[in-house]
Amino acid sequence: MNCHKCVGAVPAAGLSRRAVLNRFGMGLGGIALANLVNPQSQMLAAQAQARQDHGVLGGQFHVPPKAKRVIYLFMAGGPSQMETFDYKPALNQRNGEQLPDSIRQGQRLTGMSGNQASLPLAGSRFGFSRHGANGTWVSDLLPHTAKVVDDLCIVRSMYTEAINHDPAITFFQSGSQIAGRPSMGAWVHYGLGSDNEDLPAFVVLITPGKVDQPLYARLWGSGFLPSEHQGVQFRSGKDAVLYLGNPDGVSRESRRLLLDRLRDLHAHAAEQLGDGEVDGRIAQYEMSYRMQASVPGVMDVANESEETFELYGPDSRKPGTYAANCLLARRLAERGVKFVQLYHQGWDQHDNLPRDIERQCRETDQASAALLIDLKRRGLLDDTLVVWGGEFGRTSYSQGKLTATNYGRDHHPRCFTVWMAGGGAKPGLVYGATDDFSYNVVERPVHVHDFHATLLRLLGIDHERLTYLYQGRRFRLTDVHGKVVEDLLA
């Protein structure tokens, strides 16, 4: 059995003076000797280090990275795989028949359909066509995505353990169904730091006005990591970031003076308490000050060309829409933001699925494809990993009444589809397969922990070695599970 040594920062909070000297004595001695030999180089190195954030890995990757950043297009609610990327003609042929017991195999159902007397199979009302060099099946609901299918790494064999929204979304975002763990973006920032000192390393964008399952700030929170690693939500409208601007009558100079004095007080508190969270607060205050100047520039899309707006679609001119957020994600990627998380709600289609999924695809299809095209032509797709998918899939049987024109689908954790593009993911690949009913994975299953391990590998991180000591245990994004899916790597 291979043994992987877990490494990570060891908090200094609560250590005695003797313990601190014992732990860091040799390091301090080396620093002192280097300073005596060449004091000028030490000073310059310290100044350079202060300006750069290389994360806990210090810029030293575990493996050669393929991606520098991630843009995660999260379709909250659980898109139906049978209406998007998992073509199942057998469902249409057996439309209205009962789900066979040999397929269900006694697996649990939600309380919303578990008491149904009948579980009729529901074929998709939408056609599929072959696209790309490999003839990949893609739904006719996604004509723009179909045009870039050769750039996609489609995983049809994803599965999860959670059957309800909150634990399922929490699982995908943090590697645990229980709230309180650090989010993916927080782990990436903690490990790799930031490439732009004037913008957050982790930015969150949410399509407003979508009525569906709620989203909570803890989904992009830092959990037990220092708070500086939490995601920062950018909004459309006058204030892109809440409470970022100065109150009336407070000048930028006055704000700088206040922050300087506040930093002195916090530094005194940190010296007395040895609490790393104090340093995190100082870092957040300073970032907020710099963002006052940097955020207006990144949010202002007036300099984008007409051709770019046409590429992303008419909604890209409307701040806050999914299309506008995709365009903004590209602008953030250009500026070195490490992790951009887009949330688009509305995929929880227990009834009226044909009507609702058609609307959802219309809102997202063109902009998702445009993002890939835009990144590619700017030379950014090779080192930007783009991910699309939700928290689980949908059932092959109809929830509620099945008619000739209407049906719904319940939650289904046993199989669903996600895709990746760029950033070292293998393009033009369709990985894994489900049975004829899209109910169970039959080839090359990929668990959520495997997905996280693979994502971190593409960023140059060994998921077993990026850890954080908390309450006596070293935690990681993949908990004690997960394996890298090597076949997904280009």
Side-chain angles (χ1 to χ4, degrees), residues 20-131:
V20 171
L21 290 175
N22 183 57
R23 181 181 297 174
F24 301 116
M26 293 301 292
L28 290 173
I31 293 172
L33 178 60
N35 190 54
L36 289 172
V37 173
N38 192 344
Q40 184 66 22
S41 65
Q42 283 295 109
M43 182 183 70
L44 293 175
Q47 291 174 349
Q49 182 66 29
R51 290 192 301 269
Q52 299 178 11
D53 176 10
H54 294 301
V56 72
L57 299 186
Q60 302 298 312
F61 299 98
H62 297 140
V63 293
K66 303 275 189 177
K68 292 182 178 179
R69 64 197 73 85
V70 176
I71 298 176
Y72 195 162
L73 311 175
F74 194 81
M75 305 294 109
S80 169
Q81 69 276 16
M82 291 148 290
E83 270 74 24
T84 51
F85 295 101
D86 200 7
Y87 180 43
K88 295 300 175 187
L91 278 181
N92 292 75
Q93 297 166 8
R94 302 184 63 170
N95 188 70
E97 296 183 18
Q98 289 299 299
L99 174 69
D101 291 339
S102 61
I103 298 299
R104 180 184 169 186
Q105 299 174 6
Q107 296 170 25
R108 64 173 176 161
L109 309 178
T110 74
M112 292 170 284
S113 63
N115 294 322
Q116 285 186 197
S118 174
L119 298 175
L121 296 172
S124 174
R125 291 193 63 244
F126 305 98
F128 275 69
S129 304
R130 290 186 178 274
H131 297 272

Side-chain angles (χ1 to χ4, degrees), residues 37-342:
V37 173
N38 192 344
Q40 184 66 22
S41 65
Q42 283 295 109
M43 182 183 70
L44 293 175
Q47 291 174 349
Q49 182 66 29
R51 290 192 301 269
Q52 299 178 11
D53 176 10
H54 294 301
V56 72
L57 299 186
Q60 302 298 312
F61 299 98
H62 297 140
V63 293
K66 303 275 189 177
K68 292 182 178 179
R69 64 197 73 85
V70 176
I71 298 176
Y72 195 162
L73 311 175
F74 194 81
M75 305 294 109
S80 169
Q81 69 276 16
M82 291 148 290
E83 270 74 24
T84 51
F85 295 101
D86 200 7
Y87 180 43
K88 295 300 175 187
L91 278 181
N92 292 75
Q93 297 166 8
R94 302 184 63 170
N95 188 70
E97 296 183 18
Q98 289 299 299
L99 174 69
D101 291 339
S102 61
I103 298 299
R104 180 184 169 186
Q105 299 174 6
Q107 296 170 25
R108 64 173 176 161
L109 309 178
T110 74
M112 292 170 284
S113 63
N115 294 322
Q116 285 186 197
S118 174
L119 298 175
L121 296 172
S124 174
R125 291 193 63 244
F126 305 98
F128 275 69
S129 304
R130 290 186 178 274
H131 297 272
N134 296 327
T136 302
W137 288 104
V138 180
S139 170
D140 295 343
L141 288 172
L142 303 168
H144 295 277
T145 302
K147 293 177 182 178
V148 297
V149 73
D150 284 341
D151 292 319
L152 305 186
C153 177
I154 300 174
V155 182
R156 288 181 177 160
S157 53
M158 282 294 307
Y159 72 101
T160 183
E161 300 165 17
I163 200 170
N164 289 311
H165 291 288
D166 186 78
I169 295 177
T170 303
F171 195 20
F172 249 100
Q173 300 305 295
S174 68
S176 172
Q177 296 186 51
I178 301 173
R181 299 282 183 88
S183 59
M184 253 192 302
W187 277 113
V188 171
H189 182 203
Y190 165 70
L192 301 181
S194 175
D195 296 330
N196 187 323
E197 64 180 13
D198 296 325
L199 287 170
F202 179 17
V203 172
V204 176
L205 305 169
I206 301 175
T207 308
K210 303 292 291 182
V211 179
D212 203 349
Q213 298 299 320
L215 299 173
Y216 308 98
R218 60 174 168 78
L219 295 174
W220 51 90
S222 57
F224 45 69
L225 293 177
S227 57
E228 64 193 276
H229 301 300
Q230 66 187 338
V232 177
Q233 185 180 349
F234 281 20
R235 295 167 167 84
S236 59
K238 180 181 177 181
D239 296 318
V241 179
L242 295 181
Y243 314 115
L244 184 64
N246 293 326
D248 293 339
V250 177
S251 67
R252 187 163 174 79
E253 293 75 18
S254 297
R255 172 66 67 180
R256 180 68 266 168
L257 182 62
L258 173 63
L259 290 177
D260 289 343
R261 300 291 79 78
L262 191 59
R263 181 186 59 206
D264 293 341
L265 290 172
H266 277 118
H268 178 70
E271 182 180 350
Q272 296 296 315
L273 301 175
D275 187 354
E277 184 59 26
V278 176
D279 295 329
R281 293 283 182 88
I282 295 173
Q284 286 181 298
Y285 291 147
E286 293 296 332
M287 173 58 73
S288 297
Y289 179 76
R290 296 193 297 272
M291 285 169 57
Q292 288 181 338
S294 63
V295 169
V298 74
M299 298 294 292
D300 184 6
V301 298
N303 62 342
E304 296 288 344
S305 67
E306 290 296 315
E307 187 273 336
T308 298
F309 285 118
E310 291 175 4
L311 176 66
Y312 283 86
D315 282 350
S316 62
R317 300 179 184 274
K318 305 172 186 176
T321 61
Y322 178 81
N325 284 344
C326 283
L327 176 56
L328 183 55
R330 188 223 78 206
R331 293 173 62 85
L332 291 166
E334 283 181 311
R335 289 158 175 78
V337 173
K338 188 70 70 177
F339 202 103
V340 183
Q341 177 88 64
L342 274 71

Side-chain angles (χ1 to χ4, degrees), residues 86 88 156-157 431-435 440-444:
D86 200 7
K88 295 300 175 187
R156 288 181 177 160
S157 53
Y431 187 83
T434 60
D435 59 30
N440 298 293
V441 174
V442 295
E443 291 181 15
R444 296 176 291 185

